[in-house]
Amino acid sequence: MELKFSKVERKGPITIVTLSRPEVYNALHTDAHFELQKVFDDFAADPEQWVAIVTGAGDKAFCAGNDLKWQAAGGKRGWDKGGFAGLTARFDCDKPIIAAVNGVAMGGGFEIALACDLIIASENATFALPEPRVGLAALAGGLHRLPRQIGLKRAMGMILTARHVSAKEGHELGFVNEVVPQGEALAGALRWAEMITKNSPMSIRASKQTIQKGLAVSLEQAIDEQRDYPAVKAMAASQDYVEGPKAFSEKRPPKWVGK
């Protein structure tokens, strides 16, 4: 597929997806959403790719959210089953996805980042759900993810005021994992991705799926049902499940195969 609104690069088992509409601060429209749906479908289905990073083109913006000028001009709206950027409604991907936020992350852009498993932000990054200022609401997951990730009162403080939050405050609030110098968001995200790839991808997928499914039920139910989760069963039946303890006993680095 020819990519018009994004770029994809692979570094070993790491897929880097760059939102590429810098002329509009990487704001997204319908065609971009459908393109990114396919990009992340391909990542999820590729057994050789273990971790994804999503970032924005240029040095000013990660993603400014919904392309309001496109919408105001009568451009069609909508996205595929994966949601905004093919990510915000993607609940079946057990592989880690990291947001490398290199600038403005507004509205849908912030919702993309919140849908990722980790957020690495440059010190010039800015986050907000400003939809109420233009008569809209953050319905691509922001109104649900932010309270779950930082607590109700803190989230209400951001959502009801539509205020902008710096990377430093985002770290203090708890939705940013690390703040790095300007221009180093992608490098920071790659460092985290490389740390992840030192672990068994089967274990990582089992861990992510267990967390996601477990948060939707009671603690008792989660512990009782976790061994029946598909990714946990796949881990227990994998070559990596044998290789890990064997490598430990032989005092050598494990050779993960991801199956």
Side-chain angles (χ1 to χ4, degrees):
M1 180 181 68
E2 181 184 357
L3 301 178
K4 296 181 179 179
F5 312 111
S6 62
K7 298 176 182 177
V8 177
E9 178 186 1
R10 293 180 177 86
K11 291 190 174 184
I14 302 168
T15 294
I16 303 169
V17 179
T18 302
L19 310 178
S20 189
R21 299 188 76 218
E23 69 281 2
V24 288
Y25 289 82
N26 301 319
L28 301 179
H29 57 7
T30 298
D31 292 343
H33 293 312
F34 276 84
E35 178 176 298
L36 288 162
Q37 173 76 31
K38 181 63 166 59
V39 165
F40 285 106
D41 281 349
D42 290 347
F43 162 70
D46 189 342
E48 302 300 320
Q49 294 302 294
W50 298 356
V51 183
I53 296 171
V54 57
T55 192
D59 58 2
K60 295 181 179 179
F62 172 72
C63 175
N66 181 38
D67 189 339
L68 292 176
K69 290 183 179 180
W70 169 274
Q71 179 180 336
K76 60 181 180 180
R77 297 189 63 196
W79 44 68
D80 208 337
K81 61 183 179 181
F84 198 94
L87 279 179
T88 60
R90 185 176 293 272
F91 296 105
D92 59 353
C93 181
D94 301 318
K95 299 178 182 181
I97 302 175
I98 303 171
V101 181
N102 53 312
V104 170
M106 296 290 162
F110 188 20
E111 290 175 298
I112 295 170
L114 289 170
C116 293
D117 301 295
L118 302 173
I119 297 177
I120 311 305
S122 60
E123 57 192 3
N124 65 310
T126 307
F127 302 87
L129 294 176
E131 283 85 350
R133 294 185 179 179
V134 291
L136 304 174
L139 299 177
L143 298 180
H144 301 290
R145 285 192 169 97
L146 192 60
R148 284 166 167 79
Q149 293 182 22
I150 68 172
L152 180 59
K153 291 296 189 291
R154 291 176 177 180
M156 283 292 194
M158 285 187 64
I159 293 165
L160 300 183
T161 63
R163 70 186 183 88
H164 293 192
V165 168
S166 68
K168 180 177 181 293
E169 185 179 357
H171 186 261
E172 292 168 350
L173 289 170
F175 64 78
V176 171
N177 292 86
E178 182 183 3
V179 179
V180 296
Q182 184 171 347
E184 296 185 18
L186 180 56
L190 278 166
R191 176 165 41 80
W192 280 80
E194 288 163 359
M195 286 192 288
I196 292 171
T197 60
K198 294 182 183 298
N199 302 308
S200 164
M202 303 302 291
S203 297
I204 293 298
R205 293 169 203 166
S207 297
K208 177 176 173 177
Q209 187 178 94
T210 299
I211 291 168
Q212 290 181 316
K213 287 183 175 293
L215 285 173
V217 298
S218 70
L219 176 60
E220 181 180 1
Q221 184 178 345
I223 292 174
D224 183 58
E225 296 178 350
Q226 61 186 354
R227 294 189 182 276
D228 292 324
Y229 296 158
V232 175
K233 284 186 173 182
M235 176 192 70
S238 70
Q239 296 177 42
D240 284 0
Y241 196 72
V242 177
E243 168 65 6
K246 184 178 180 182
F248 179 81
S249 66
E250 295 174 358
K251 298 181 179 180
R252 61 172 175 81
K255 298 177 182 178
W256 306 123
V257 294
K259 58 183 181 180

